[in-house]
Each structure stands twice: as structure tokens, then as C-alpha cells.
Amino acid sequence: MRHRTGIALLVLLALTLAACASGRKNSGLGVRVLDCVVVQREREASGQGGARYDGTGNHYLVFETREGEATARYRFQVTRQQWFRFVEGSRVRITLNNNILQDIRPNE
């Protein structure tokens, strides 16, 4: 009886691990590097909709890029320094990890 229970538990464990592994494979987009153009800069004043209360507010950049035949737009929160550095029309290379902005660099 113990032998059958042990085998059943091992089979169940193997099936569970296989399901978890296959779910992880499709759940994320992974790391992507995109060549983009800054098309818009946005700023929320301090105290608005989740903005920080340190007097600087939240800063956002809107990027546009080509993905296949489509044009894609991304909007990410950035630091104040990045917001001032990358003005509209700037060509940049952004690194995304599962659609989370990791890095912005000039692309000249």
C-alpha cells in the first residue's frame, strides 16, 4: 500500500511540475530591446492620482515603435532626469523585461 501511495505522489508531483513549467513558458514576454521615438512627455503634479508628495510629481514618456506591420505605443513612468533628457523626437533604445521598463539609452 505504501508503495502505491508513493508512486501516486510522484506521478502527481511530476504532473504538477510539468504544468507549472509550461505555464511559465507562455506567461511572460521576456526581455526585449526596441528602437523607439519619444512622441510625448507627460507629468502629473504632486498630489495627483498617486503622484509622489515630494514636490516633483510623476513623469512619463510615451514611446512609439514599429512591431512588424503595426505601430506600437508604450507609456512608462520615468525619472525626472530621464524626462528632461529625452524630449519629443528623441530616438532611443528601450529595454523591457515582461513589459516593465528597465533601461533607456540614446539611439543615434
Side-chain angles (χ1 to χ4, degrees):
M1 184 71 173
R2 279 185 154 179
H3 186 64
R4 288 184 193 170
T5 305
I7 291 175
L9 285 174
L10 284 175
V11 169
L12 181 62
L13 180 63
L15 290 174
T16 303
L17 288 175
C20 289
S22 65
R24 271 194 312 239
K25 188 183 299 180
N26 297 326
S27 65
L29 297 171
V31 176
R32 297 184 296 154
V33 178
L34 302 172
D35 292 329
C36 304
V37 175
V38 176
V39 293
Q40 189 174 352
R41 297 185 315 154
E42 300 173 0
R43 184 172 172 260
E44 290 177 349
S46 181
Q48 284 186 333
R52 299 187 325 234
Y53 291 98
D54 62 359
T56 62
N58 290 330
H59 298 80
Y60 300 90
L61 290 178
V62 179
F63 304 98
E64 195 168 272
T65 187
R66 298 284 298 170
E67 291 185 312
E69 296 294 317
T71 300
R73 289 177 77 101
Y74 294 93
R75 180 181 183 260
F76 294 109
Q77 186 172 358
V78 296
T79 65
R80 185 171 186 258
Q81 291 80 13
Q82 291 168 328
W83 190 81
F84 278 107
R85 181 177 181 191
F86 300 111
V87 297
E88 289 89 344
S90 297
R91 296 189 179 281
V92 296
R93 179 168 287 161
I94 63 173
T95 303
L96 306 177
N97 188 357
N98 291 326
N99 274 352
I100 298 172
L101 182 65
Q102 300 294 310
D103 188 37
I104 308 171
R105 295 181 188 258
N107 186 16
E108 301 168 3

